[in-house]
Amino acid sequence: MKLASLINGEKDGRLIIVSRDLTRAVKADAATTLLSAIELWDKVADALAAQAQKLENGNAEGVFAFDKKDTQAPLARAPQWLDASAFKTHSELVAKAWNNKNRWSDTTPLMYQGASDDLLPSYGPSYLPSEAHDMDFEGEVVVVVDTVPMGISPEHALSHIKLVGMANDVSLRAFGAAEQEAGFGFLRAKPSTIFSPVFVTLDELNDNWRDGKLHGALTVHVNNRWVGSPRAEYMNFSFGRLIAHAATSRKLAAGTILGSGTVSDPLDDTGSATLLEVRAVEQLQHGECRTPFLKFGDTVKIDMTDQNRHSIFGVIEHQVLKG
């Protein structure tokens, strides 16, 4: 099933179930918010799925047209937002381009704790302070978990994934390097993150979900110009591994969101899901960066489609504006 949060004047919105073709929706009966549904997943999942099936069959009551502009982020606030860097290609490319230290480890995932109090809807806008901060986007896959016990194994961690979606991990590159060197992780470099209109259960993904990874191309455009379609299955750490890493020394609360980090593809013709990579390739090929970072008024579009070219999570499409 596909789940979203309708704007209703409350911070967490109103949980709705969305049809597979993203055209129709109905208010969920078993839970009023997505966070409460995740917290009580074992008790409400079957009822939500039954209502979703009625929606598909045309038997649901109270059906209305789905418009992502009537929704907020599926989780407008979450107990925790943890973002990894699970693609080795991304780390190696950026380090090579500017002769920086490569922080990648084949045994320990890179991960930071981001702000989870103001998660933004798919249509934006993203209000940012200044173009001088080198505004960028990062197209990512995200998962939402129920309560995860401390010390869980990667294999058992996979059973705690309840929903999958997409994110634009908005980044201000001018702050990033200095905050990494300080050793306390990102803060100013990471404004509020933007999420896909809907999050979906694993059964919606069919063969696109295998081995704890989402298989498919995540396509990014800026101002209708194609930037890249890297494939998400090139993650070097599965989501099971990422969850286990995060839960090494503490449990994870239900509703925690974990990100894959920038989707990055080792193939040369698939482009990139972030301008930082585009500029790294230019630096290596031409000795200089030719593509600028985002400007105010630019529109970022991120999508992933199934085998029939239907959007899986709905489209992230938002402008970058001066705040």
Side-chain angles (χ1 to χ4, degrees):
M1 59 187 157
K2 300 189 176 187
L3 302 175
S5 294
L6 194 68
I7 296 170
N8 69 343
E10 302 292 333
K11 180 64 177 178
D12 295 319
R14 179 63 166 90
L15 178 62
I16 59 174
I17 301 168
V18 183
S19 62
R20 290 192 177 98
D21 63 4
L22 300 174
T23 63
R24 294 166 293 117
V26 63
K27 292 181 179 179
D29 292 334
T32 57
T33 69
L34 183 53
L35 183 57
S36 65
I38 293 294
E39 291 173 336
L40 299 171
W41 192 259
D42 289 343
K43 296 180 179 180
V44 304
D46 288 345
L48 291 172
Q51 192 177 7
Q53 191 58 56
K54 286 185 178 181
L55 178 62
E56 293 302 320
N57 295 339
N59 299 325
E61 298 180 358
V63 177
F64 55 91
F66 177 69
D67 185 342
K68 68 180 182 182
K69 291 187 178 180
D70 294 330
T71 66
Q72 53 196 48
L75 286 169
R77 55 181 171 178
Q80 194 166 204
W81 159 230
L82 302 172
D83 199 15
S85 182
F87 293 83
K88 187 175 183 178
T89 300
H90 176 71
S91 292
E92 290 183 336
L93 181 60
V94 172
K96 183 179 179 181
W98 290 286
N99 196 28
N100 293 334
K101 177 183 178 181
N102 186 358
R103 294 176 172 81
W104 179 266
S105 166
D106 288 327
T107 59
T108 305
L110 295 166
M111 187 178 293
Y112 76 93
Q113 186 177 46
S116 60
D117 58 329
D118 184 36
L119 306 178
L120 301 181
S122 60
Y123 54 88
S126 179
Y127 288 107
L128 299 175
S130 172
E131 291 180 353
H133 295 158
D134 295 341
M135 305 180 301
D136 200 358
F137 55 84
E138 295 188 40
E140 303 192 12
V141 177
V142 300
V143 300
V144 182
V145 298
D146 61 5
T147 303
V148 179
M150 181 177 68
I152 197 167
S153 70
E155 294 75 24
H156 289 138
L158 290 175
S159 68
H160 291 275
I161 297 174
K162 302 308 175 189
L163 299 171
V164 182
M166 297 187 307
N168 173 8
D169 178 36
V170 180
S171 299
L172 300 179
R173 301 300 185 187
F175 296 126
E179 290 188 330
Q180 282 183 317
E181 291 300 325
F184 271 75
F186 295 120
L187 181 65
R188 294 188 299 169
K190 297 294 183 178
S192 296
T193 306
I194 295 170
F195 290 88
S196 53
V198 303
F199 288 167
V200 311
T201 50
L202 297 182
D203 59 292
E204 289 286 331
L205 301 172
N206 300 314
D207 290 340
N208 290 86
W209 181 262
R210 301 193 302 276
D211 304 319
K213 302 177 183 180
L214 182 60
H215 292 242
L218 186 146
T219 298
V220 181
H221 292 81
V222 175
N223 299 331
N224 294 319
R225 176 180 62 83
W226 180 82
V227 178
S229 298
R231 296 191 64 84
E233 64 263 29
Y234 284 109
M235 285 176 70
N236 294 84
F237 294 106
S238 71
F239 275 107
R241 183 69 182 87
L242 297 181
I243 295 167
H245 173 77
T248 298
S249 57
R250 58 179 174 176
K251 72 176 184 180
L252 305 182
T256 294
I257 308 173
L258 292 97
S260 66
T262 305
V263 175
S264 187
D265 194 321
L267 302 180
D268 293 334
D269 60 349
T270 55
S272 301
T274 177
L275 293 177
L276 185 67
E277 268 195 23
V278 173
R279 289 165 61 86
V281 171
E282 293 171 343
Q283 180 68 27
L284 292 170
Q285 291 181 347
H286 310 295
E288 63 178 359
C289 300
R290 298 180 176 181
T291 299
F293 286 112
L294 295 173
K295 303 295 184 183
F296 289 133
D298 285 348
T299 298
V300 178
K301 181 178 179 181
I302 303 173
D303 194 16
M304 179 178 282
T305 59
D306 60 20
Q307 292 87 340
N308 298 316
R309 297 186 177 182
H310 297 148
S311 182
I312 299 173
F313 309 105
V315 181
I316 295 175
E317 187 171 9
H318 64 92
Q319 269 195 313
V320 179
L321 299 178
K322 182 173 178 58

